[in-house]
Amino acid sequence: QVQLVESGGGLVQAGGSLRLSCTASISISRFYNMGWYRQAPGNQRELVAVIVGGGNTNYADSVKGRFTISRDNTKNTVYLQMNTLKPEDTAVYCCKANYVGDNYWGQGTQVTVSS
């Protein structure tokens, strides 16, 4: 069973930064891809950023140039560095891993950006 645990959320002022972490219970090199998603109240869940096995990354237009997804295989952890945060970035952020055709989700971490 794959388990994902996120951390690093919190309350920050607009313009500030946060780094989210997602640590897996198995080697992340075994995942086809890993991604960060977010869901704000009343909104659908949306993809924020994804990193595939070869290291290629993709971002939502709304976060390009502000967020960076990266990984540390030695720590089985994927990160989301979030800079220049805006109030509209407020959401619950979850990580997802695709492994052997199945998707696994973490429990989520709250990010709140005050104006």
Side-chain angles (χ1 to χ4, degrees), residues 86-100:
K86 304 175 181 180
E88 52 263 43
D89 294 318
T90 295
V92 175
Y93 285 69
C94 295
C95 70
K96 187 192 81 171
N98 183 272
Y99 176 60
V100 196

Side-chain angles (χ1 to χ4, degrees), residues 61-81:
D61 287 343
S62 59
V63 306
K64 282 181 181 177
R66 299 189 298 122
F67 291 10
T68 303
I69 188 170
S70 63
R71 66 188 181 197
D72 185 339
N73 288 358
T74 66
K75 296 181 179 180
N76 293 331
T77 299
V78 168
Y79 302 98
L80 185 68
Q81 178 66 45

